Structure formats: C-alpha cells, structure tokens
Amino acid sequence: MNKKILFIIDELELKYFEFNRLVTNFWLIKCLLDRGFNVAITVKNLLYLEGASPMAKIYNTVSKNNNILKEDTPNTACLNEFGTIFMRPDPPVDIDYINATYILDYVNKETLILNSPKALRDFNEKLYINKFPNLAPKNIVSANKNIIKEFLFNEEEIIIKPLNRCFSSGVFYLNKNDKNINAIIDTATNNGKTQVMVQKFLKGILKGDKRLIFIGGEIFNYAVRKVATNNDFKFNEHIKENLIRGDLSKEEQLIEKEIAQTLLNDGVYIAGLDVIDGKIIEINITSPCFFINEINSIYNINFENIITDKILEVMENSKKEPLVSLLS
C-alpha cells in the first residue's frame, strides 16, 4: 500500500492546525501518522495544474507529544504521488470548491480520492436524501415564494435550508401563523433567485438530530445526538453540553442496508447522516464531522482507531477490486 496520504482541509483548519481536537481531521491524521503513514495537508486554493499534471503546495505533518504539527514552509508535490487523497474542505460548495474537484479529475486512477470529485459535484448534501424517498422527510426544492407558501400551509410547520452551506447556517423555521412569512422566504431565497430545500418540520428535532457515521458501506453503532443550542431549534455550537449519547434505534440500524450500495456506487465512501424520527434530513459528504472527541468520552473508546481501521480497509480494497463491490 502507498503510505503517502494527502488531506485537503479547510483554510481555517490550516490556520489553527496543531491543537484542534474538535476537528475530525485532527484525529484521522494523528492516527495515520501514529501508524507509520506519511501525511501531508493542503487547501483547495493551493491545488493547481501544470498542463495535465495535478499539483499542490503541501505541508508535511508529524505527530509529537500527542499533537500534530505541520512544517512552516510548503513543498511542491504531484498529486499522483499519493496513494490516498481526502477531499475535506467545508462548504460552501461554490465555484472555488468545484474548480478544485476539476483539478482532482486529473489525478491518476491508482490514487483513491475520498470522496470522489465527481460525487462531490453531482450530489448536493441536502438534495441527496431524495435518492432515498422512503427515508427522506417530505420536502420540496424551490425559489418560488408561492410554491413554498403552499407547502407551508399544507404542512403547517417547515424548515428552510440553503443548499450549499453547513453547520445550520442560514436555516429558518416557519409555521403557518408566523407574521414574517414573506420576509423570511425572501431572505432565504434571495428574493426568489436562489433555490432552497424546504422540509416538513419533524417534531423529533426538539430532542436533537442524530449523526450517523458511514464509512465504506458500514454505519457504526456509535453516534451522538446534537441537541439544540439555548432557545434555538437547531444545533449550531460545538460544545460538550449539546452533544449527548445517541445509540442507534432498530429503525436506524436498518438504514445501512438501504443506502450503502447506492453511496458506494456513487463514489461516496465517507459520509455523515443527520437523522430525525428515522428520517435522513441530510447526507454530509464534503467534510462530515464524526465528533470523535465526544464519542470517545461518551462511550469510553478510542473511536479514531475504529474508523481508521475501516478507512484502511477501504484503501486496501480499492487496490484489489472496485470499491462498488465492497458489499457484494
């Protein structure tokens, strides 16, 4: 196995790289370093092409005193040198993000990219749920105020979400008796210019949504429930008090069988599923947070080792057979 690995991380993570144990990438990189892999990091605006050669300015990393450190000065590397590339910048999935995936299209087929650049372009994290209509809450996607209002009056309570943002940014709750319906819809849709996801409000959100962790066809039994922040209806602060144990129900355990092969066929090998009342409200495929620090504390395990084992299995299988055959 090629032991050179590259993580394409978010610009903010690069700035505060060394000590951020709340970030999933910290744990994955540290675990891989401790297992003898050579791990480098970069960001999407440091990717570039020389003709047809995919290149990047990269920072090599080391594990030291139970932390991870990066070099001060970047090096130049061809992306074809790496055995595996993790594409994990945070949304928004804007033109800069899309352009980065175009560069990754030039990486040779011997290099595994998690997740596939094509998948990251083709499958929006909000819209992807409609590939599994029996698991998705009732929803519409529209920029039209009248269509959204009709859905609101039929369902009585709704959630409006932007399609390309994360961490509950720009998410609104509306009920049919709200005095600001027009203003909220205008704000969410940029005055009718921008498509949004509109979902039926699920009462279970009052107890928080659950983050299910999907890697290589498997959903793990370890999960957290993300409880609303203060008097809000949504989770938007990564603090210990708002992350509690979220053991999977029998209904949630069955989700794996319904989605796994489709995700693998689509080139999605790593994802975070947000679930309320047995319904998937989002399938996070860009930079899913696995809440490793919290899961370790709640379950008294070393979850980073468990998921790294699974990632290494995916990496190893990619050299033997097509990844879409993992569940065959």
Side-chain angles (χ1 to χ4, degrees), residues 124-141 159-163 165 168 171 197-206 208-212 226 233-235 252 255 259 272-284:
N124 176 276
E125 295 188 324
K126 308 297 190 295
L127 302 183
Y128 202 14
I129 62 173
N130 285 324
K131 270 212 165 187
F132 313 98
N134 60 317
L135 292 175
K138 190 172 182 181
N139 69 85
I140 60 170
V141 177
I159 298 295
I160 303 178
K161 303 178 180 181
L163 296 179
R165 290 156 74 178
S168 298
V171 177
M197 166 70 80
V198 185
Q199 292 179 349
K200 178 179 180 178
F201 179 76
L202 300 176
K203 302 292 187 182
I205 189 59
L206 301 176
D209 64 296
K210 198 175 294 184
R211 171 59 56 90
L212 275 54
K226 300 175 289 174
F233 71 93
K234 58 186 179 292
F235 170 86
E252 290 162 345
I255 289 175
I259 71 165
L273 283 64
D274 290 330
V275 177
I276 302 172
D277 296 339
K279 299 293 185 181
I280 305 173
I281 62 167
E282 288 184 23
I283 301 178
N284 300 279

Side-chain angles (χ1 to χ4, degrees), residues 219-238:
I219 291 177
F220 292 86
N221 290 324
Y222 307 106
V224 295
R225 189 183 294 276
K226 300 175 289 174
V227 180
T229 302
N230 298 323
N231 294 321
D232 207 333
F233 71 93
K234 58 186 179 292
F235 170 86
N236 56 17
E237 282 188 81
H238 194 145

